[in-house]
Amino acid sequence: MSSTTAAVGEGASESDSVAAEPAAIAPPGPNSTGFLQGTKEELEKVVWPDRQQLISESIAVFLMVSLSAFIFSFIDNLFRWVSTLVFG
């Protein structure tokens, strides 16, 4: 008789003893304290822009959005004009 069979016992297989052991997994649940602490640590790593950089990048975003809106409007009006020529 092998040592594995003797430890498991007569009539029981090795897989039965493994399945019978309780799992040591912690139950899932919210951990808001750890989440908030981790969020605070990550926000401390952020390099925030200075006032001049914030203003210049905001202007750049505004100009790009305005340019995109103008281009989409132009293309829309072009297709509207072409469709009235084609379909009457």
Side-chain angles (χ1 to χ4, degrees), residues 29-76:
N31 187 1
S32 60
T33 305
F35 173 74
L36 292 175
Q37 182 180 6
T39 303
K40 182 182 175 204
E41 290 172 2
E42 291 299 319
L43 284 174
E44 289 172 353
K45 296 177 186 177
V46 174
V47 179
W48 299 101
D50 59 354
R51 184 176 180 85
Q52 181 62 35
Q53 187 179 12
L54 180 67
I55 291 171
S56 65
E57 290 182 7
S58 297
I59 291 171
V61 168
F62 179 75
L63 289 175
M64 290 304 296
V65 168
S66 299
L67 179 65
S68 299
F70 174 76
I71 291 171
F72 287 134
S73 175
F74 176 77
I75 293 171
D76 183 48

Side-chain angles (χ1 to χ4, degrees), residues 2-22:
S2 70
S3 62
T4 306
T5 308
V8 173
E10 291 294 322
S13 68
E14 192 172 340
S15 62
D16 291 341
S17 66
V18 173
E21 295 178 13

